[in-house]
Amino acid sequence: LRTARETGPAKQFMKLGLFGFGCVGQGLWKVLHETRGIRADIKRICIKHPEKQRPVPAHFFTTDPAEILNDPEIDVVVELIDDAEAAFEIVSAALSGGKAVVSANKKMIAHRLPELYALQQKTGAPFLYEGACCASIPIIRNLEEYYDNDLLTSVEGIFNGTTNFILTRIFEEHLSFGEALRLAQAGGFAESDPTLDVEGYDPKFKLCILLLHAFGVFVQPEKVLHSGISRLNDFDIEFARSRGSVLKLVARCFRDNDKVAAYCLPRFVPAGHRYAGVKNEYNAVTLESAFSERQWFVGKGAGDKPTGCAVLSDVSALRYLYKYEYRKFSQNGTFFDPAGAELTVYVRYEREGQVAESDFEEISERYASGRARYWIGRISLEKLQAAKWLKEEGVNVIECG
């Protein structure tokens, strides 16, 4: 996406300092060396464990962050580590030193966005993070540029490739959750500790980042309701099939006048719905607005090269002095408030009295057997988020899309 703000004189050659050389770091190395036309080179790579064997000559590596942060020849610091606190120290030090920064650390960015925004305003140094949200889908740049003057009403989608891979295998190959998870780990789509993905934290972090670029609001992750797919059991899966649906983990934020709400929940998706065709590690984003109505983006949401490509796109944009302007934040009076928003949900539970019926506005369907109990009904987002029973063992909540 080339914009008017990218038409300044391009830097002829850029030197990069890279922190981290895991899946995404190696993906960046590959796409950088396979892409023509982007004049950039990695000068130094800071890693934590020098004893590991890596497919790059040893002279590129260092364990001293200062060799990158204090090197006047390095134009861009690229942060691709998995430690959120250490990542913030690296990014804040680089921005404070006036260096441009690119990151894909969605957990760090989601928790530290107000501070990172303030640092950018203070130093004038650009901070880009397209790779933190939906990998190969350029959603942040589109929200910043194309939808700059359009009245957005909602942003939602499948933001996590790991859980989408698992759910695809469950519904297409009739695997158990455990079998599908192990297959995702073997394919490199899930970490050895998959908690952030399967519990729904990862798509929630991405949602918090997109809230700023879509609606101009800073929202701390703990204020956003989320539930992942780890509570799914055979009954839930059979119920979905009986209704001609599959399951997807969907994150959504939406505006009602000057209020914005957000949540991330599993959702029943009819077999003919566009999300049902988004399979394996692919992500999808749907934007709705007053003027352009519905737009849909699909692309790979996990993997070394798709995310590395998004990081490289940010590096390329920096050649033209591109930076986020956050104009929605500076121009509107929108604020985050889930009060008034309602969802229709399926709640599966184990024992009588475990779920508070008084929390619901209406219950349209009830079921009880020796295997399970469930209700389908309307509940306010505010009450659902506050419900203590939501986290109890044996309870699962799925949105009825």
Side-chain angles (χ1 to χ4, degrees), residues 123-163:
T123 65
F127 176 45
L128 304 182
Y129 39 86
E130 190 69 68
C133 293
C134 304
S136 66
I137 302 174
I139 187 59
I140 295 177
R141 197 88 61 85
N142 271 283
L143 289 172
E144 278 284 309
E145 304 296 337
Y146 186 81
Y147 291 92
D148 182 37
N149 296 312
D150 201 355
L151 186 59
L152 281 170
T153 54
S154 75
V155 179
E156 70 161 41
I158 300 166
F159 293 174
N160 183 266
T162 299
T163 53

Side-chain angles (χ1 to χ4, degrees), residues 99-301:
K99 290 188 182 295
V101 181
V102 173
S103 174
N105 195 315
K106 75 279 295 185
K107 181 180 180 180
M108 180 273 292
I109 298 167
H111 282 283
R112 300 287 196 148
L113 254 178
E115 295 158 273
L116 294 168
Y117 170 80
L119 266 175
Q120 292 173 78
Q121 302 309 302
K122 179 181 178 181
T123 65
F127 176 45
L128 304 182
Y129 39 86
E130 190 69 68
C133 293
C134 304
S136 66
I137 302 174
I139 187 59
I140 295 177
R141 197 88 61 85
N142 271 283
L143 289 172
E144 278 284 309
E145 304 296 337
Y146 186 81
Y147 291 92
D148 182 37
N149 296 312
D150 201 355
L151 186 59
L152 281 170
T153 54
S154 75
V155 179
E156 70 161 41
I158 300 166
F159 293 174
N160 183 266
T162 299
T163 53
N164 203 46
F165 182 95
I166 291 169
L167 291 170
T168 300
R169 296 305 184 204
I170 288 173
F171 279 89
E172 292 201 345
E173 300 179 15
H174 295 267
L175 300 183
S176 69
F177 176 85
E179 290 170 333
L181 173 58
R182 287 190 289 274
L183 192 62
Q185 290 170 325
F189 300 121
E191 302 289 342
S192 55
D193 179 3
T195 302
L196 290 180
D197 295 315
V198 300
E199 296 293 346
Y201 287 98
D202 175 88
K204 181 174 78 165
F205 294 150
K206 295 169 183 174
L207 186 63
C208 290
I209 295 169
L210 295 181
L211 273 161
L212 177 58
H213 294 279
F215 298 120
V217 293
F218 288 107
V219 182
Q220 283 300 304
E222 58 268 20
K223 293 185 178 181
V224 176
L225 169 68
H226 80 279
S227 184
I229 66 170
S230 63
R231 291 171 174 253
L232 288 178
N233 66 12
D234 290 343
F235 186 88
D236 301 329
I237 294 165
E238 290 170 14
F239 179 89
R241 288 195 176 108
S242 73
R243 302 293 172 106
S245 296
V246 297
L247 283 164
K248 298 292 182 181
L249 184 59
V250 177
R252 181 175 186 241
C253 59
F254 54 100
R255 184 197 343 234
D256 182 11
N257 294 318
D258 59 353
K259 295 195 302 183
V260 173
Y263 61 90
C264 177
L265 291 172
R267 180 187 292 181
F268 293 118
V269 173
H273 191 277
R274 60 188 179 279
Y275 289 162
V278 181
K279 300 179 181 181
N280 297 318
E281 72 272 24
Y282 277 78
N283 282 187
V285 182
T286 301
L287 308 181
E288 292 194 8
S289 64
F291 305 142
S292 56
E293 298 182 0
R294 181 177 293 154
Q295 304 286 320
W296 190 37
F297 303 81
V298 180
K300 282 197 172 183

Side-chain angles (χ1 to χ4, degrees), residues 81 113 150 251 314 322 331 337:
I81 67 175
L113 254 178
D150 201 355
D314 279 344
Y322 179 81
Q331 289 177 358
D337 182 4

Side-chain angles (χ1 to χ4, degrees), residues 311-330:
V311 172
L312 186 59
S313 175
D314 279 344
V315 171
S316 177
L318 288 170
R319 292 184 63 229
Y320 298 90
L321 309 180
Y322 179 81
K323 62 172 62 177
Y324 302 140
E325 296 192 13
Y326 302 99
R327 284 186 289 179
K328 295 186 183 78
F329 172 65
S330 62

